[in-house]
Amino acid sequence: ETLDDLEKQARAAIDGAVNVSVTSNGAVATARVELPALEPLLQNKTIARALSRYLRGDVRLDGYKATALRTDDADAYIAALWHHDRVGRRIKMFVFVHDVDCDDGHPTRVAKGTNALGYYRTDSFATSRFHDAYVRDTFDVALGCGRRGGGFLFDTHTVHRGTPEGTLDRLTIIAEFLHVDKCPAASALILGLPCPSG
């Protein structure tokens, strides 16, 4: 029932005209609205403990969104380039409201182990992008795909990319978590990090 409710709420949010932004030439639609059916997951103590241990301290939810991806045009979808999010350590949680096929369902691709990389510059778009051949030749790549009700967590400091290729639309809920001191410290240091990212 909770999954049914979450999917209905997410689809209604995407199909609504309020609080919906469309990017990448119409390939991506994002709605930032309350999704009451998501609350039990956001209050899950096991997830909270894992987040706190990984980020080494108190963690806060920075928001969430329903995102629909409907494209097979790599040129239209900027997240199709291998990249990190230029914000240092932050966790994104993807929740599948329907099955996400590993071949045709636009899975997110994550280069394993790249969360441990240090970057010399992160202040520009170009310095956060990586060549496909380099990533595939250097790192194992995990696919963010799976059954309805599943999902994954990853550090957006990790090199990752969206997959524009695929015939099946993808609707996911994406929540962001960060250390409670991150945004105040970034502001005090005038780092210009996107806090919150959206």
Side-chain angles (χ1 to χ4, degrees):
E1 275 181 27
T2 301
L3 278 171
D4 290 342
D5 290 344
L6 184 58
E7 183 174 6
K8 285 176 194 169
Q9 291 168 11
R11 289 193 187 283
I14 289 293
D15 293 340
V18 180
N19 295 326
V20 176
S21 64
V22 179
T23 59
S24 299
N25 295 328
V28 180
T30 298
R32 293 182 184 277
V33 297
E34 285 191 50
L35 301 170
L38 187 62
E39 289 304 316
L41 183 62
L42 297 176
Q43 303 302 324
N44 182 283
K45 291 183 181 184
T46 302
I47 292 174
R49 255 191 321 273
L51 292 168
S52 180
R53 286 180 181 160
Y54 184 83
L55 292 174
R56 297 185 176 149
D58 292 333
V59 174
R60 73 171 192 166
L61 171 68
D62 203 43
Y64 58 80
K65 59 191 176 183
T67 300
L69 176 56
R70 306 171 175 130
T71 186
D72 61 1
D73 182 0
D75 293 333
Y77 185 39
I78 197 64
L81 299 172
W82 286 104
H83 66 284
H84 62 81
D85 286 359
R86 300 187 301 136
V87 296
R89 303 235 177 269
R90 179 186 61 197
I91 304 297
K92 278 191 178 176
M93 177 174 65
F94 280 61
V95 180
F96 304 143
V97 298
H98 58 79
D99 292 351
V100 175
D101 185 80
C102 294
D103 296 317
D104 288 320
H106 305 289
T108 298
R109 297 172 187 271
V110 179
K112 293 181 184 179
T114 57
N115 61 309
L117 293 178
Y119 305 110
Y120 290 104
R121 292 184 61 191
T122 61
D123 57 333
S124 73
F125 180 82
T127 59
S128 65
R129 276 24 194 187
F130 299 82
H131 289 285
D132 184 69
Y134 166 73
V135 174
R136 290 185 181 276
D137 291 347
T138 309
F139 304 101
D140 290 332
V141 174
L143 292 177
C145 54
R147 305 280 301 168
R148 177 179 190 245
F152 61 97
L153 298 159
F154 80 106
D155 183 341
T156 64
H157 185 75
T158 303
V159 176
H160 61 283
R161 70 180 279 261
T163 303
E165 303 83 14
T167 59
L168 304 171
D169 290 351
R170 185 190 80 180
L171 176 62
T172 53
I173 309 302
I174 304 171
E176 290 186 4
F177 300 88
L178 42 90
H179 191 283
V180 293
D181 295 331
K182 185 177 186 67
C183 288
S187 296
L189 295 170
I190 313 172
L191 294 178
L193 298 175
C195 268
S197 69

